[in-house]
Every structure is written in C-alpha cells, then in structure tokens.
Amino acid sequence: MNLTELVKLSNDYGSNEDYVLAGGGNTSLKDDSEMYIKGSGTTLATITADGFVGMDRAKLNAMMTADYPQGDKEREAASLADMMAARLPGFEDKRPSVETTLHNLFPFRLILHVHPALVNGLTCGQDGEKIAAELLPGEHVWIPLSRPGYVLSLLCREKLSEYKAAQGKEAQILLLQNHGIFIAADTREEIDALMEHVMERLRSRLGRTPDFSAASCDAGKAESLKRELAALYSPNGKADLLCNQEILSLVASRHAFSPLSAAFTPDHIVYCKAEFLYTESPELMDVKFKEFTDKTGYAPKVVCVKGFGAFILGDTDKDVSTSKMLFLDAVKIAVYSESFGGPLHMTPELIDFIANWEMEAYRQKVNKE
Ligand SMILES: [Zn+2]
C-alpha cells in the first residue's frame, strides 16, 4: 500500500500544536484487507512510512466477536496477544497503536485521531454531550467515559452501529468523553473539512480563552525552589517553572485550583501523572513533597505553588519539556471547559486503571527514549 498520503496527513496534523502534542494521536489508512496504523511510541510530526504497522483486517474484525475472559487483566492480555498476531508478515518487531481495533471499525480509508485542547474542552465539559448534540446535530457519535483499549472498541462498535441505524449512514465524527476525536473519511480533503467544521462549531460556542500573557514572581525565590524541587525529584532531576496570568490565577487558592485537581484525559496521566502537588507553603516544600510521595506512591511531575506558578519536574530536559506541554494543555482544557458546563474530570476508578495500564506504560517508556 502506498503510504505517502498517510505520512503527509500525520506530519501535517502532528506538527500543529492545536491538534497534537508529544506522542499523542494516531492515524491509519486501509483497504478491504489491510490497514496501516501508527506504531506505538512514534510521533505523528516526524513519522515516516517505516513508523506504520501493517495489520490484517480479517484478524482485527474477528477480535470484535472473540470470546475473551471477563477479568480486566486477562481480557487485556488476551486481546493484546490477538492484536499482535494480527500484524502482517514483516511487522513482527513493531507494536501497533493502542487504538488499532477502534481504527479498524470505521469503513473509511483514512482515519485521523487527535486530542485537541479545544475538542477536549467539550469532551471534558459537564455539559459536553448536550452541547455536542446542539453544535453537531446528527453529525457525530458521542462515546461516554470508558476504559481504553479493547473495551473502548466494543463500546464504539455498538455506538457506531446505533448511529448507522438511526441516521442511515456511517458516522464520520466520533467524540470520546475525556479523550479526543476520531475523523473518518475516504479523502484527505474530507478529513480536513470535517475537522475544521468541528473546530469552527466549537469556536462559535467559546466564551473565554486562556490568558497566557506574561506574569512575574519573585525570581530569586523561584530559582531556589527550582533547585530544591529538582533535587527532591531525583538525583539528576530537572525542573522548570511555568508562569503566566492564567496559571497564577489557578494557583491562587485551593479552590481556584480545583479545575486541575484531577486528570482530564489519559495523556495527562501518561506525561504529568494522575495528580499534581498543590501547596501554599513553599517554605515547607520538602515536607509537602514527602507527604505527596507517601500518599500517591510517586514523585509529583507538577508542583503548583501559590504566587509562583507550576514547577514541572523530570529526569531529563526532554521529559520536562513534554510534561510542560501537557500541563499547559490541561490548563487550556480547564479554561475551554468553562464554555461547556465547567470542568469534568475522569473518575478516580478510571484514573487508577490508566495509571496502571500496561500499554500506556509502554507508550510513556518509548517516548522517553
Ligand atoms: Zn487517543
């Protein structure tokens, strides 16, 4: 299969931060028998034909009616084994995207799956489902909060067939609560037109946009907090400070911080951990840091301090810069969600599931390399 069109679609959307951050999002191209999908751990902005994994569609189709075990771990392991067995010969050393079975559901050639902050302002909004029905009447399928992987594919399969029965056509826009969007079409032109249509409808409803204008804090104190936090994070830890008007307002009090009190989407957990540390007492940083680590079982990636902003921590500069992007994404979603009924986080149960999910751990590990 010629992948030129797929590579171009991936690079174009992947290099636009309004659509894709870090290793997020994925794309695919298919015919009746084969599908080429982004490999796990690759990045859309820079992906080449080598980054895609060839899949046998008949085997992926069979997975949707397979009889898997009931338990989470057992079912995920069994479906993962089948997904690996569905790779075409010559692709045995590559791992397909975690969303492969979902891509395979759409009877369209090209699929674009992204997690844009604006779209997630809607999917992470209390009234997201209701407002989506007003903005895109009869044009989309809404997928309620779900576990990722195979279970999500089953749910989408059911909702896509309900849509087809009701509308007499195949769905091309799929909105996933606390996650992102799928666009399906046979041509690149149609993908672009559908994506822009959704963005335009969302912008038409937007009240406030984030205020990322410059803000200042005590630079000397900020430097010493950076050094302290880097050392607390790990022996070779790195730290950076994000400070702008929006972030300063969010860290002004524990109440103001509540939009960031839990994760919006799986990406935030993967790159910034499930929870951020918030404190109004930077002079007690070592104590607060230890309390957080004891409670959660991990060191914070993001430490928000009243009057300063958000300190982003990591093992390498790349690690810090990726987490910075995803933290800013969470801030944007928090603000955009105001236009869609106010912030709606993932449930603690789902956050726990993602934090422990083997495939996400793999994605994060590859992206760090
Ligand atoms: Zn996704």
Side-chain angles (χ1 to χ4, degrees):
M1 203 182 288
N2 185 334
L3 302 184
T4 312
E5 189 183 12
L6 178 60
V7 170
K8 177 102 172 67
L9 172 78
S10 308
N11 296 164
D12 289 350
Y13 280 92
S15 52
N16 185 336
E17 288 192 358
D18 286 341
Y19 292 93
V20 174
L21 297 174
N26 41 60
T27 50
S28 66
L29 175 69
K30 65 167 89 73
D31 62 18
D32 289 341
S33 57
E34 297 180 354
M35 178 171 81
Y36 283 78
I37 184 150
K38 178 185 178 249
S40 190
T42 60
T43 301
L44 286 177
T46 53
I47 198 168
T48 57
D50 289 348
F52 292 91
V53 189
M55 305 296 296
D56 180 332
R57 291 196 65 206
K59 288 182 181 169
L60 292 175
N61 290 339
M63 286 177 66
M64 302 317 293
T65 48
D67 197 7
Y68 290 123
Q70 287 298 307
D72 289 340
K73 278 216 172 81
E74 294 77 9
R75 184 187 52 238
E76 286 299 323
S79 60
L80 178 60
D82 279 354
M83 191 168 89
M84 293 307 191
R87 288 174 296 188
L88 290 171
F91 292 96
E92 291 85 354
D93 61 333
K94 294 198 168 93
R95 184 160 172 146
S97 157
V98 299
E99 280 141 350
T100 296
T101 46
L102 215 166
H103 280 247
N104 185 51
L105 292 176
F106 293 94
F108 290 95
R109 281 179 70 237
L110 275 172
I111 308 294
L112 172 68
H113 167 53
V114 284
H115 314 142
L118 180 55
V119 170
N120 280 336
L122 173 85
T123 77
C124 304
Q126 297 278 350
D127 298 335
E129 182 174 5
K130 192 178 113 234
I131 296 174
E134 291 165 20
L135 295 177
L136 300 163
E139 295 177 74
H140 76 290
V141 169
W142 179 270
I143 303 296
L145 190 62
S146 162
R147 291 186 170 193
Y150 182 69
V151 174
L152 174 62
S153 301
L154 281 185
L155 176 62
C156 292
R157 182 173 178 255
E158 182 193 323
K159 297 284 179 191
L160 287 169
S161 79
E162 281 173 19
Y163 177 92
K164 190 181 176 184
Q167 304 289 336
K169 59 178 180 181
E170 300 284 354
Q172 293 183 268
I173 301 170
L174 188 77
L175 290 164
L176 299 106
Q177 189 192 323
N178 292 97
H179 182 160
I181 185 169
F182 276 79
I183 302 283
D186 286 331
T187 66
R188 169 66 191 269
E189 292 68 32
E190 212 185 341
I191 293 270
D192 290 347
L194 286 168
M195 190 72 242
E196 180 49 31
H197 171 61
V198 172
M199 297 299 259
E200 185 275 319
R201 297 303 293 143
L202 294 176
R203 282 192 290 261
S204 77
R205 193 64 177 243
L206 214 49
R208 193 170 79 85
T209 53
D211 179 3
F212 281 180
S213 57
S216 58
C217 62
D218 184 330
K221 268 192 191 158
E223 273 311 310
S224 79
L225 276 170
K226 249 197 249 180
R227 279 195 299 275
E228 183 183 5
L229 282 165
L232 285 167
Y233 185 77
S234 71
N236 296 307
K238 310 276 180 195
D240 207 350
L241 172 63
L242 277 174
C243 182
N244 59 42
Q245 293 296 345
E246 197 67 55
I247 294 175
L248 270 194
S249 319
L250 278 162
V251 302
S253 69
R254 197 165 280 281
H255 177 72
F257 188 68
S258 66
L260 296 179
S261 60
F264 282 118
T265 75
D267 274 353
H268 299 134
I269 300 174
V270 171
Y271 296 105
C272 297
K273 294 285 184 189
E275 228 178 285
F276 308 145
L277 166 55
Y278 175 78
T279 181
E280 297 180 3
S281 317
E283 67 284 1
L284 297 174
M285 191 55 85
D286 53 339
V287 178
K288 299 289 174 191
F289 199 96
K290 187 173 184 315
E291 277 173 9
F292 179 95
T293 307
D294 289 346
K295 187 187 81 174
T296 61
Y298 55 82
K301 291 279 297 166
V302 178
V303 178
C304 295
V305 186
K306 182 180 179 176
F308 288 90
F311 292 89
I312 315 294
L313 315 180
D315 288 317
T316 62
D317 290 330
K318 187 185 175 216
D319 183 18
V320 170
S321 83
T322 307
S323 301
K324 257 163 86 170
M325 273 195 289
L326 269 295
F327 176 76
L328 284 171
D329 185 63
V331 172
K332 286 182 194 168
I333 293 173
V335 174
Y336 291 146
S337 72
E338 291 171 13
S339 302
F340 304 104
L344 175 68
H345 300 113
M346 293 168 72
T347 59
E349 184 268 338
L350 191 60
I351 288 171
D352 199 49
F353 181 84
I354 303 277
N356 296 300
W357 199 36
E358 187 257 347
M359 290 186 97
E360 287 293 350
Y362 174 85
R363 181 151 77 100
Q364 188 184 26
K365 185 173 151 279
V366 172
N367 278 313
K368 272 188 175 175
E369 284 162 2

